[in-house]
Amino acid sequence: MNANVEVVVVGGGYGGVTAANKLARRDGVSVTVVNPRAEFVSRIRLHQLVTGSDDAVEGFGEVLGANVRLVVDTATRIDAAARQVSLAGGGTLSYDYLVYAVGSGAADPGVPGAAQFAHWVSDFEGAQRLRTALEATSASDPVTVVGSGPTGLETAAELAETGRKVTLVCGRVLGPSLHARVRRPVARRLAKLGVHVVEGPGARVTEVTQDAVRLDDGRALPSAVTVWTAGFRVPDLAARSGLRTDDDGRLLTDTTLTSYDDERIIAAGDAGVMPDHPFRMSCQAATQLGPAAADTVLRRIAGKKAAPVRMFFAGQCLSLGRNEGVTQFSYPDDKVNALSISGRTGAGVKEIACRFTLNKLLSGARKASSRATRASHGDSTDRVETSQPEEAPAGPRRAA
Protein backbone atom coordinates (compact mmCIF):
# COMPACT_ATOMS: atom_id res chain seq x y z
CA MET A 1 0.00 0.00 0.00
CA ASN A 2 1.90 3.02 -1.25
CA ALA A 3 -0.42 5.90 -0.28
CA ASN A 4 -2.45 6.55 2.83
CA VAL A 5 -6.15 5.78 2.41
CA GLU A 6 -8.68 8.06 4.15
CA VAL A 7 -11.87 6.42 5.42
CA VAL A 8 -14.70 8.47 6.92
CA VAL A 9 -17.25 6.64 9.07
CA VAL A 10 -20.50 8.61 9.39
CA GLY A 11 -22.08 7.54 12.67
CA GLY A 12 -20.61 6.32 15.95
CA GLY A 13 -23.07 3.60 16.92
CA TYR A 14 -22.46 -0.14 17.08
CA GLY A 15 -21.97 -0.51 13.33
CA GLY A 16 -19.78 2.57 12.95
CA VAL A 17 -17.53 1.80 15.92
CA THR A 18 -16.92 -1.83 14.98
CA ALA A 19 -16.17 -0.81 11.38
CA ALA A 20 -13.82 1.98 12.45
CA ASN A 21 -11.84 -0.22 14.82
CA LYS A 22 -11.34 -2.95 12.25
CA LEU A 23 -10.26 -0.46 9.59
CA ALA A 24 -7.87 1.26 12.00
CA ARG A 25 -5.95 -2.00 12.48
CA ARG A 26 -4.64 -1.82 8.90
CA ASP A 27 -1.41 0.05 8.21
CA GLY A 28 -1.84 2.83 5.68
CA VAL A 29 -5.51 3.46 6.56
CA SER A 30 -6.57 6.61 8.43
CA VAL A 31 -10.03 6.54 10.00
CA THR A 32 -12.26 9.45 11.00
CA VAL A 33 -15.58 8.94 12.79
CA VAL A 34 -18.21 11.69 12.55
CA ASN A 35 -20.80 11.59 15.34
CA PRO A 36 -23.15 14.21 16.81
CA ARG A 37 -22.26 13.30 20.41
CA ALA A 38 -18.87 13.10 22.12
CA GLU A 39 -19.87 9.91 23.91
CA PHE A 40 -20.92 6.49 22.67
CA VAL A 41 -24.59 5.77 23.38
CA SER A 42 -25.38 2.23 24.49
CA ARG A 43 -28.84 1.99 22.95
CA ILE A 44 -29.54 -1.41 24.45
CA ARG A 45 -29.54 0.29 27.87
CA LEU A 46 -31.63 3.38 27.12
CA HIS A 47 -34.65 1.94 28.95
CA GLN A 48 -32.40 1.80 32.02
CA LEU A 49 -31.44 5.46 31.56
CA VAL A 50 -35.14 6.29 31.87
CA THR A 51 -35.33 4.79 35.38
CA GLY A 52 -31.79 5.70 36.45
CA SER A 53 -30.30 2.21 36.73
CA ASP A 54 -27.73 2.98 33.99
CA ASP A 55 -26.38 6.08 32.25
CA ALA A 56 -26.33 4.33 28.83
CA VAL A 57 -23.09 5.99 27.69
CA GLU A 58 -19.44 5.02 27.33
CA GLY A 59 -16.47 7.24 26.49
CA PHE A 60 -15.33 7.07 22.88
CA GLY A 61 -11.82 6.98 24.31
CA GLU A 62 -12.70 3.51 25.59
CA VAL A 63 -14.55 2.04 22.60
CA LEU A 64 -12.57 3.60 19.73
CA GLY A 65 -8.95 2.83 18.94
CA ALA A 66 -6.44 5.50 19.90
CA ASN A 67 -5.59 5.97 16.22
CA VAL A 68 -9.19 6.80 15.23
CA ARG A 69 -9.98 10.49 14.88
CA LEU A 70 -13.35 11.58 16.27
CA VAL A 71 -15.15 14.63 14.86
CA VAL A 72 -18.12 15.69 16.98
CA ASP A 73 -20.49 17.09 14.38
CA THR A 74 -23.40 16.10 12.13
CA ALA A 75 -22.98 15.13 8.49
CA THR A 76 -25.41 17.12 6.33
CA ARG A 77 -24.54 15.94 2.82
CA ILE A 78 -22.39 13.38 1.02
CA ASP A 79 -20.92 14.54 -2.30
CA ALA A 80 -20.09 11.19 -3.89
CA ALA A 81 -18.54 12.73 -7.00
CA ALA A 82 -16.14 14.92 -5.00
CA ARG A 83 -15.77 12.34 -2.21
CA GLN A 84 -16.56 14.86 0.48
CA VAL A 85 -18.84 15.03 3.51
CA SER A 86 -20.30 18.40 4.51
CA LEU A 87 -20.72 19.06 8.23
CA ALA A 88 -23.29 21.13 10.13
CA GLY A 89 -20.43 23.01 11.78
CA GLY A 90 -19.37 24.35 8.37
CA GLY A 91 -16.42 22.14 7.52
CA THR A 92 -15.94 19.30 5.06
CA LEU A 93 -14.13 15.96 5.20
CA SER A 94 -12.58 14.30 2.17
CA TYR A 95 -12.51 10.52 1.87
CA ASP A 96 -11.34 7.68 -0.30
CA TYR A 97 -14.02 5.40 1.17
CA LEU A 98 -17.06 6.19 3.27
CA VAL A 99 -18.86 3.90 5.73
CA TYR A 100 -22.50 4.93 6.05
CA ALA A 101 -23.52 4.07 9.63
CA VAL A 102 -25.98 6.77 10.66
CA GLY A 103 -28.23 4.34 12.56
CA SER A 104 -31.94 4.73 13.24
CA GLY A 105 -34.33 6.58 15.52
CA ALA A 106 -37.99 6.87 16.38
CA ALA A 107 -40.43 6.78 13.47
CA ASP A 108 -43.11 9.40 12.95
CA PRO A 109 -46.20 7.39 13.90
CA GLY A 110 -48.55 9.53 11.82
CA VAL A 111 -51.06 9.43 14.67
CA PRO A 112 -52.71 12.73 15.70
CA GLY A 113 -51.08 14.15 18.82
CA ALA A 114 -48.27 11.59 19.04
CA ALA A 115 -45.50 13.90 17.86
CA GLN A 116 -46.69 16.59 20.27
CA PHE A 117 -47.49 14.61 23.39
CA ALA A 118 -45.64 11.26 23.24
CA HIS A 119 -42.06 10.54 24.30
CA TRP A 120 -39.45 8.28 22.69
CA VAL A 121 -36.75 6.04 24.10
CA SER A 122 -34.93 5.20 20.86
CA ASP A 123 -32.17 7.81 21.27
CA PHE A 124 -30.29 9.39 24.16
CA GLU A 125 -31.99 12.77 24.04
CA GLY A 126 -35.45 11.20 23.83
CA ALA A 127 -34.73 8.96 26.82
CA GLN A 128 -33.49 11.98 28.79
CA ARG A 129 -36.67 13.94 28.02
CA LEU A 130 -38.79 10.96 29.04
CA ARG A 131 -36.93 10.67 32.32
CA THR A 132 -37.47 14.38 33.01
CA ALA A 133 -41.19 14.05 32.22
CA LEU A 134 -41.52 11.11 34.61
CA GLU A 135 -39.72 12.97 37.37
CA ALA A 136 -42.26 15.78 37.01
CA THR A 137 -45.17 13.43 37.73
CA SER A 138 -46.32 11.43 40.72
CA ALA A 139 -45.42 7.75 40.93
CA SER A 140 -49.15 7.01 40.99
CA ASP A 141 -49.87 8.84 37.73
CA PRO A 142 -50.71 6.51 34.81
CA VAL A 143 -48.05 5.82 32.17
CA THR A 144 -48.90 4.32 28.77
CA VAL A 145 -46.34 2.53 26.61
CA VAL A 146 -47.41 2.10 22.97
CA GLY A 147 -45.82 -0.82 21.12
CA SER A 148 -44.81 -4.25 22.41
CA GLY A 149 -41.67 -4.93 20.45
CA PRO A 150 -38.46 -5.43 22.48
CA THR A 151 -38.18 -1.71 23.32
CA GLY A 152 -41.79 -1.47 24.48
CA LEU A 153 -41.61 -4.62 26.58
CA GLU A 154 -38.38 -3.60 28.27
CA THR A 155 -39.53 -0.03 28.92
CA ALA A 156 -42.90 -1.09 30.33
CA ALA A 157 -41.33 -3.64 32.66
CA GLU A 158 -38.55 -1.29 33.76
CA LEU A 159 -41.07 1.41 34.68
CA ALA A 160 -43.46 -0.97 36.42
CA GLU A 161 -40.67 -2.43 38.53
CA THR A 162 -40.06 1.04 39.98
CA GLY A 163 -43.70 1.19 41.08
CA ARG A 164 -45.18 3.04 38.13
CA LYS A 165 -48.75 2.33 37.05
CA VAL A 166 -48.16 1.13 33.47
CA THR A 167 -50.48 0.24 30.61
CA LEU A 168 -48.93 -1.48 27.59
CA VAL A 169 -50.84 -1.01 24.32
CA CYS A 170 -49.79 -3.81 22.00
CA GLY A 171 -52.06 -3.48 19.03
CA ARG A 172 -52.83 -6.89 17.60
CA VAL A 173 -50.70 -9.11 19.86
CA LEU A 174 -48.24 -8.94 22.75
CA GLY A 175 -44.63 -9.30 21.58
CA PRO A 176 -45.22 -9.82 17.84
CA SER A 177 -41.56 -10.78 17.28
CA LEU A 178 -41.78 -13.61 19.85
CA HIS A 179 -42.79 -17.22 19.42
CA ALA A 180 -46.29 -17.94 20.78
CA ARG A 181 -44.87 -20.12 23.56
CA VAL A 182 -42.35 -17.48 24.58
CA ARG A 183 -45.09 -14.87 25.00
CA ARG A 184 -46.40 -16.81 27.99
CA PRO A 185 -43.53 -16.12 30.42
CA VAL A 186 -43.44 -12.52 29.17
CA ALA A 187 -47.15 -12.12 29.91
CA ARG A 188 -46.72 -13.70 33.35
CA ARG A 189 -43.86 -11.37 34.23
CA LEU A 190 -45.77 -8.29 33.10
CA ALA A 191 -48.81 -9.40 35.13
CA LYS A 192 -46.60 -9.91 38.18
CA LEU A 193 -45.29 -6.35 37.78
CA GLY A 194 -48.85 -5.01 37.51
CA VAL A 195 -48.64 -3.97 33.85
CA HIS A 196 -52.09 -3.72 32.24
CA VAL A 197 -51.78 -5.24 28.76
CA VAL A 198 -54.16 -4.04 26.03
CA GLU A 199 -54.15 -6.18 22.88
CA GLY A 200 -56.42 -7.65 20.23
CA PRO A 201 -59.19 -6.07 18.14
CA GLY A 202 -59.69 -2.38 18.85
CA ALA A 203 -56.25 -1.91 20.44
CA ARG A 204 -54.83 0.35 17.74
CA VAL A 205 -54.01 3.90 18.87
CA THR A 206 -55.86 6.60 16.94
CA GLU A 207 -54.93 9.69 18.96
CA VAL A 208 -52.63 10.84 21.74
CA THR A 209 -53.63 13.80 23.91
CA GLN A 210 -51.94 15.50 26.82
CA ASP A 211 -53.62 13.20 29.33
CA ALA A 212 -54.96 10.21 27.38
CA VAL A 213 -54.42 7.64 24.64
CA ARG A 214 -57.46 6.92 22.45
CA LEU A 215 -58.03 3.55 20.77
CA ASP A 216 -59.95 2.68 17.64
CA ASP A 217 -62.68 0.90 19.62
CA GLY A 218 -63.50 4.19 21.38
CA ARG A 219 -61.66 3.59 24.65
CA ALA A 220 -59.68 6.44 26.21
CA LEU A 221 -56.82 5.32 28.45
CA PRO A 222 -55.72 7.91 31.04
CA SER A 223 -52.04 8.74 30.53
CA ALA A 224 -49.98 11.36 32.30
CA VAL A 225 -46.91 10.25 30.32
CA THR A 226 -47.12 8.41 26.98
CA VAL A 227 -44.14 6.50 25.56
CA TRP A 228 -44.18 5.61 21.85
CA THR A 229 -41.94 2.65 20.95
CA ALA A 230 -43.56 1.39 17.73
CA GLY A 231 -41.43 1.67 14.61
CA PHE A 232 -38.04 3.07 13.60
CA ARG A 233 -36.83 5.51 10.96
CA VAL A 234 -33.41 6.30 9.54
CA PRO A 235 -31.93 9.77 8.92
CA ASP A 236 -32.49 11.12 5.41
CA LEU A 237 -28.81 11.83 4.74
CA ALA A 238 -28.57 9.32 1.89
CA ALA A 239 -31.71 10.60 0.17
CA ARG A 240 -30.62 14.23 0.57
CA SER A 241 -27.29 13.29 -0.97
CA GLY A 242 -28.91 11.84 -4.09
CA LEU A 243 -28.17 8.21 -3.23
CA ARG A 244 -30.75 5.54 -3.90
CA THR A 245 -32.80 4.42 -0.90
CA ASP A 246 -35.81 2.22 -0.20
CA ASP A 247 -39.19 3.63 0.86
CA ASP A 248 -37.97 3.87 4.46
CA GLY A 249 -34.90 5.91 3.50
CA ARG A 250 -32.37 3.10 4.00
CA LEU A 251 -29.37 3.16 1.65
CA LEU A 252 -29.78 0.47 -1.01
CA THR A 253 -26.80 -1.88 -1.18
CA ASP A 254 -25.74 -5.15 -2.74
CA THR A 255 -24.74 -8.17 -0.65
CA THR A 256 -21.27 -6.70 -0.04
CA LEU A 257 -22.98 -3.69 1.64
CA THR A 258 -21.90 -1.44 -1.24
CA SER A 259 -24.18 1.39 -2.35
CA TYR A 260 -25.96 0.86 -5.67
CA ASP A 261 -24.60 4.26 -6.73
CA ASP A 262 -20.96 4.26 -5.64
CA GLU A 263 -18.57 1.41 -4.82
CA ARG A 264 -16.71 3.70 -2.39
CA ILE A 265 -19.77 4.05 -0.13
CA ILE A 266 -20.45 1.05 2.10
CA ALA A 267 -23.28 0.74 4.63
CA ALA A 268 -23.11 -0.64 8.16
CA GLY A 269 -26.04 -1.02 10.55
CA ASP A 270 -29.69 0.00 10.49
CA ALA A 271 -29.38 2.71 7.80
CA GLY A 272 -28.55 0.33 4.95
CA VAL A 273 -30.57 -2.47 3.39
CA MET A 274 -29.83 -5.39 1.08
CA PRO A 275 -33.18 -5.76 -0.73
CA ASP A 276 -32.58 -9.44 -1.54
CA HIS A 277 -31.34 -10.23 1.98
CA PRO A 278 -33.24 -8.00 4.45
CA PHE A 279 -32.30 -8.12 8.13
CA ARG A 280 -33.88 -6.95 11.37
CA MET A 281 -32.67 -3.59 12.68
CA SER A 282 -30.80 -4.47 15.86
CA CYS A 283 -27.55 -4.21 17.78
CA GLN A 284 -27.00 -7.89 16.94
CA ALA A 285 -27.07 -7.08 13.23
CA ALA A 286 -25.01 -3.89 13.53
CA THR A 287 -22.10 -5.56 15.30
CA GLN A 288 -21.88 -8.03 12.40
CA LEU A 289 -22.40 -5.47 9.65
CA GLY A 290 -19.71 -3.08 10.95
CA PRO A 291 -16.81 -5.54 10.56
CA ALA A 292 -18.31 -6.80 7.29
CA ALA A 293 -18.35 -3.24 5.92
CA ALA A 294 -14.72 -2.85 6.97
CA ASP A 295 -13.86 -6.10 5.18
CA THR A 296 -15.43 -4.77 1.97
CA VAL A 297 -13.38 -1.57 2.18
CA LEU A 298 -10.15 -3.41 2.96
CA ARG A 299 -10.62 -5.87 0.10
CA ARG A 300 -11.21 -3.03 -2.33
CA ILE A 301 -8.10 -1.23 -1.10
CA ALA A 302 -6.14 -4.43 -1.69
CA GLY A 303 -7.58 -4.76 -5.21
CA LYS A 304 -9.59 -7.84 -4.32
CA LYS A 305 -13.23 -8.70 -4.97
CA ALA A 306 -15.51 -7.95 -2.00
CA ALA A 307 -17.28 -10.94 -0.47
CA PRO A 308 -21.02 -11.15 0.32
CA VAL A 309 -21.88 -10.59 3.96
CA ARG A 310 -23.18 -13.50 6.00
CA MET A 311 -25.54 -12.79 8.89
CA PHE A 312 -26.06 -15.07 11.87
CA PHE A 313 -28.73 -14.51 14.50
CA ALA A 314 -29.04 -16.30 17.84
CA GLY A 315 -32.23 -14.78 19.23
CA GLN A 316 -33.48 -11.84 21.27
CA CYS A 317 -32.58 -11.11 24.90
CA LEU A 318 -35.17 -9.07 26.82
CA SER A 319 -34.81 -7.61 30.28
CA LEU A 320 -38.17 -7.43 32.07
CA GLY A 321 -37.01 -5.21 34.89
CA ARG A 322 -33.76 -5.75 36.75
CA ASN A 323 -34.73 -9.10 38.27
CA GLU A 324 -36.19 -11.17 35.45
CA GLY A 325 -35.94 -11.50 31.70
CA VAL A 326 -36.60 -13.70 28.70
CA THR A 327 -34.23 -14.96 26.02
CA GLN A 328 -36.00 -15.92 22.81
CA PHE A 329 -33.84 -18.23 20.69
CA SER A 330 -33.92 -18.27 16.92
CA TYR A 331 -32.53 -20.14 13.94
CA PRO A 332 -29.49 -18.56 12.24
CA ASP A 333 -31.82 -16.87 9.71
CA ASP A 334 -33.51 -14.99 12.60
CA LYS A 335 -36.71 -17.07 12.49
CA VAL A 336 -37.75 -17.61 16.10
CA ASN A 337 -38.33 -21.04 17.62
CA ALA A 338 -40.04 -22.28 20.79
CA LEU A 339 -36.87 -22.36 22.90
CA SER A 340 -36.41 -19.75 25.60
CA ILE A 341 -34.88 -18.98 28.98
CA SER A 342 -36.92 -16.95 31.45
CA GLY A 343 -36.91 -15.68 35.03
CA ARG A 344 -33.72 -14.65 36.82
CA THR A 345 -31.65 -16.75 34.46
CA GLY A 346 -33.17 -14.86 31.54
CA ALA A 347 -32.20 -11.56 33.18
CA GLY A 348 -28.68 -12.90 33.66
CA VAL A 349 -28.41 -13.89 30.00
CA LYS A 350 -29.52 -10.40 28.94
CA GLU A 351 -26.91 -8.78 31.17
CA ILE A 352 -24.23 -11.10 29.81
CA ALA A 353 -25.29 -10.16 26.26
CA CYS A 354 -25.04 -6.44 27.07
CA ARG A 355 -21.60 -6.84 28.63
CA PHE A 356 -20.44 -9.06 25.77
CA THR A 357 -21.44 -6.35 23.29
CA LEU A 358 -19.50 -3.70 25.20
CA ASN A 359 -16.50 -6.01 25.59
CA LYS A 360 -16.54 -6.57 21.83
CA LEU A 361 -16.18 -2.81 21.31
CA LEU A 362 -13.46 -2.55 23.96
CA SER A 363 -11.56 -5.44 22.40
CA GLY A 364 -11.80 -3.85 18.94
CA ALA A 365 -10.48 -0.59 20.36
CA ARG A 366 -7.50 -2.34 21.98
CA LYS A 367 -6.62 -4.13 18.75
CA ALA A 368 -6.82 -0.88 16.78
CA SER A 369 -4.75 0.94 19.40
CA SER A 370 -2.00 -1.66 19.23
CA ARG A 371 -0.63 -0.08 16.05
CA ALA A 372 -0.86 3.46 17.41
CA THR A 373 1.89 5.13 19.42
CA ARG A 374 1.51 7.95 21.92
CA ALA A 375 4.25 9.93 20.25
CA SER A 376 2.49 10.09 16.89
CA HIS A 377 -1.15 10.23 17.99
CA GLY A 378 -1.25 11.67 21.51
CA ASP A 379 -3.72 10.50 24.13
CA SER A 380 -7.43 9.90 23.43
CA THR A 381 -8.52 13.45 24.28
CA ASP A 382 -6.20 14.98 21.67
CA ARG A 383 -7.95 13.26 18.79
CA VAL A 384 -11.44 14.65 19.45
CA GLU A 385 -12.61 17.65 17.46
CA THR A 386 -15.81 19.40 18.48
CA SER A 387 -17.47 21.73 16.01
CA GLN A 388 -20.87 21.92 17.68
CA PRO A 389 -21.90 22.55 21.31
CA GLU A 390 -22.66 19.34 23.16
CA GLU A 391 -25.29 18.61 25.76
CA ALA A 392 -23.91 17.02 28.91
CA PRO A 393 -25.48 13.68 29.80
CA ALA A 394 -27.79 13.51 32.79
CA GLY A 395 -28.17 10.77 35.35
CA PRO A 396 -25.91 8.70 37.55
CA ARG A 397 -23.04 6.58 36.37
CA ARG A 398 -23.70 2.85 36.37
CA ALA A 399 -23.04 1.18 39.68
CA ALA A 400 -20.29 -1.40 39.75
Side-chain angles (χ1 to χ4, degrees):
M1 194 179 299
N2 298 323
N4 190 69
V5 176
E6 297 284 347
V7 182
V8 172
V9 179
V10 182
Y14 297 105
V17 166
T18 51
N21 283 334
K22 187 161 190 176
L23 288 163
R25 292 163 57 183
R26 182 67 63 90
D27 290 335
V29 176
S30 296
V31 183
T32 299
V33 172
V34 181
N35 194 66
R37 295 188 55 81
E39 290 181 292
F40 173 81
V41 175
S42 183
R43 285 187 62 175
I44 54 179
R45 292 194 184 274
L46 283 174
H47 59 289
Q48 292 181 250
L49 170 64
V50 172
T51 58
S53 65
D54 197 284
D55 60 12
V57 295
E58 302 291 340
F60 271 119
E62 299 295 322
V63 300
L64 278 178
N67 50 344
V68 177
R69 174 190 177 204
L70 174 66
V71 174
V72 182
D73 207 330
T74 300
T76 57
R77 186 174 182 274
I78 300 167
D79 186 337
R83 295 182 196 164
Q84 283 191 332
V85 179
S86 298
L87 304 177
T92 60
L93 293 172
S94 297
Y95 65 84
D96 295 303
Y97 290 90
L98 181 140
V99 176
Y100 188 77
V102 295
S104 62
D108 180 358
V111 172
Q116 181 179 0
F117 297 113
H119 293 270
W120 280 261
V121 71
S122 57
D123 57 50
F124 185 86
E125 288 72 22
Q128 278 189 314
R129 287 190 291 269
L130 172 56
R131 181 174 175 176
T132 299
L134 289 165
E135 290 173 344
T137 63
S138 167
S140 61
D141 287 337
V143 177
T144 301
V145 177
V146 180
S148 66
T151 303
L153 292 172
E154 292 191 323
T155 302
E158 202 80 22
L159 291 170
E161 195 176 61
T162 66
R164 289 281 179 175
K165 182 181 177 182
V166 179
T167 295
L168 177 63
V169 179
C170 304
R172 184 177 60 85
V173 65
L174 174 69
S177 65
L178 302 175
H179 190 279
R181 291 185 183 179
V182 183
R183 292 189 190 114
R184 297 171 191 168
V186 173
R188 286 195 297 268
R189 174 59 176 167
L190 293 175
K192 182 179 178 181
L193 290 171
V195 176
H196 175 51
V197 176
V198 179
E199 61 180 325
R204 185 177 64 87
V205 177
T206 57
E207 184 183 8
V208 178
T209 68
Q210 189 171 8
D211 56 8
V213 171
R214 301 187 184 279
L215 306 181
D216 59 0
D217 63 2
R219 281 178 289 177
L221 307 175
S223 184
V225 179
T226 299
V227 187
W228 197 282
T229 69
F232 289 94
R233 62 160 178 82
V234 300
D236 64 351
L237 176 61
R240 278 190 283 113
S241 301
L243 300 171
R244 278 182 283 180
T245 65
D246 68 359
D247 291 340
D248 295 321
R250 302 172 78 183
L251 180 69
L252 290 173
T253 76
D254 63 18
T255 56
T256 70
L257 305 179
T258 304
S259 166
Y260 279 3
D261 300 298
D262 193 319
E263 69 170 10
R264 290 177 178 265
I265 298 176
I266 296 90
D270 292 351
V273 62
M274 299 178 284
D276 296 332
H277 297 80
F279 55 87
R280 173 170 52 90
M281 290 184 178
S282 64
C283 166
Q284 189 174 175
T287 53
Q288 297 179 70
L289 292 165
D295 281 339
T296 293
V297 173
L298 293 172
R299 291 183 72 86
R300 290 234 166 86
I301 292 172
K304 299 178 181 179
K305 183 179 179 181
V309 62
R310 294 184 178 182
M311 305 288 288
F312 176 89
F313 291 89
Q316 303 172 38
C317 298
L318 304 176
S319 62
L320 299 174
R322 295 297 85 211
N323 298 315
E324 292 192 27
V326 169
T327 296
Q328 159 75 77
F329 291 102
S330 72
Y331 299 106
D333 64 358
D334 206 27
K335 182 179 179 181
V336 298
N337 56 46
L339 298 177
S340 67
I341 299 173
S342 59
R344 288 186 178 275
T345 304
V349 172
K350 172 58 188 285
E351 185 59 27
I352 289 171
C354 289
R355 293 182 182 182
F356 174 82
T357 301
L358 175 59
N359 287 337
K360 186 172 183 177
L361 303 185
L362 297 176
S363 175
R366 287 193 297 269
K367 291 175 181 177
S369 298
S370 65
R371 84 170 178 88
T373 62
R374 184 172 296 275
S376 59
H377 297 284
D379 63 28
S380 61
T381 58
D382 293 334
R383 60 193 171 94
V384 179
E385 300 178 15
T386 304
S387 50
Q388 286 191 351
E390 184 207 354
E391 208 176 304
R397 297 295 299 183
R398 182 166 61 255

